[in-house]
Amino acid sequence: MKRIVFFDIDGTLTRGVTSGAYLAGLLGHGRAMEEAEAAYARGEIDNDEVCRIDAAGYAGRSRDELFCLLEDMPLVEGVRRAVEAVHAAGAEAHIASLAWGVVGEFLCAQYGFDGYVGSELEVADGVCTGGVARALESEGKCAYARELCAARGIDPCACIAVGDSRSDIPLFELVGTSVAFNASEEAERAATHAYRGDDIAEAIAAVL
């Protein structure tokens, strides 16, 4: 059976920090990003506002610069092994995240994910303008999954989603199998499986 496994980034693949907070700390606007993410977690602002606040700190930065900064981003154990296990099972591994697409692109290049969707920084002449090209919301993950499944001739019910927070719940509801990985109580209640531990490859092995 053909299927796709969708992975969230922040709090799922990253360890102890979101990709946004990690990059913002290196770019000099860490405090503003921490406050924005806390407000988002409380439901006070949407991802569009988080992206607007964050994107300003990327002005003048190139993709290659951001890739260099991402090399030391802390990740959970087993990311490469998880992707390899998905491929060994005859499935595809995709990233579906509200994080910036450049993070998804980096993870595809470094760990072998097959594709990604995320929010997008506005870029002109190869550098970030400080604006937002697209602020993805939870439904955007589902739209990506539906389009990808339709293109591959795959039933979404055959697919798997791995995530940790409320932004992953709509995708959990779309696919047939979902894994709440070190997740919030809300996400765990919505998932078909829950896993707590340091190794995401172990969590994937349990459902593959």
Side-chain angles (χ1 to χ4, degrees):
M1 180 185 298
K2 294 190 295 182
R3 55 184 169 174
I4 301 169
V5 183
F6 297 96
F7 293 81
D8 175 49
I9 294 177
D10 294 330
T12 302
L13 298 180
T14 63
R15 185 184 72 248
V17 66
T18 66
S19 60
Y22 172 77
L23 285 171
L26 296 177
L27 295 172
H29 62 287
R31 177 63 63 85
M33 188 56 179
E34 287 176 8
E35 292 175 353
E37 288 189 340
Y40 176 82
R42 295 191 298 268
E44 296 171 359
I45 61 175
D46 59 16
N47 194 51
D48 184 77
E49 181 66 9
V50 175
C51 287
R52 186 192 64 78
I53 293 167
D54 191 24
Y58 287 76
R61 301 287 183 164
S62 70
R63 169 187 174 276
D64 288 346
E65 286 181 273
L66 297 177
F67 265 39
C68 287
L69 294 177
L70 287 165
E71 287 180 358
D72 294 322
M73 182 173 66
L75 300 176
V76 297
E77 295 179 17
V79 175
R80 189 179 304 280
R81 286 185 286 110
V83 175
E84 290 172 350
V86 170
H87 289 161
E92 293 185 25
H94 285 254
I95 290 171
S97 173
L98 304 189
W100 294 121
V102 68
V103 183
E105 185 182 1
F106 171 82
L107 292 170
C108 287
Q110 293 295 313
Y111 295 95
F113 289 95
D114 298 294
Y116 69 91
V117 68
S119 299
E120 295 293 343
L121 293 157
E122 184 180 70
V123 176
D125 297 324
V127 298
C128 299
T129 67
V132 180
R134 177 179 63 184
L136 198 74
E137 295 291 349
S138 299
E139 180 52 36
K141 296 183 181 185
C142 295
Y144 177 74
R146 290 190 192 97
E147 291 170 6
L148 195 61
C149 286
R152 302 287 195 273
I154 297 172
D155 185 343
C157 290
C159 297
I160 300 169
V162 188
D164 72 302
S165 67
R166 64 184 174 89
S167 69
D168 298 300
I169 293 174
L171 188 54
F172 284 2
E173 294 172 344
L174 175 66
V175 300
T177 303
S178 50
V179 182
F181 184 73
N182 297 326
S184 66
E185 291 183 5
E186 184 181 16
E188 284 195 351
R189 287 194 299 269
T192 59
H193 297 74
Y195 181 94
R196 292 195 173 271
D198 298 324
D199 194 324
I200 197 164
E202 292 181 0
I204 289 301
V207 294
L208 283 178

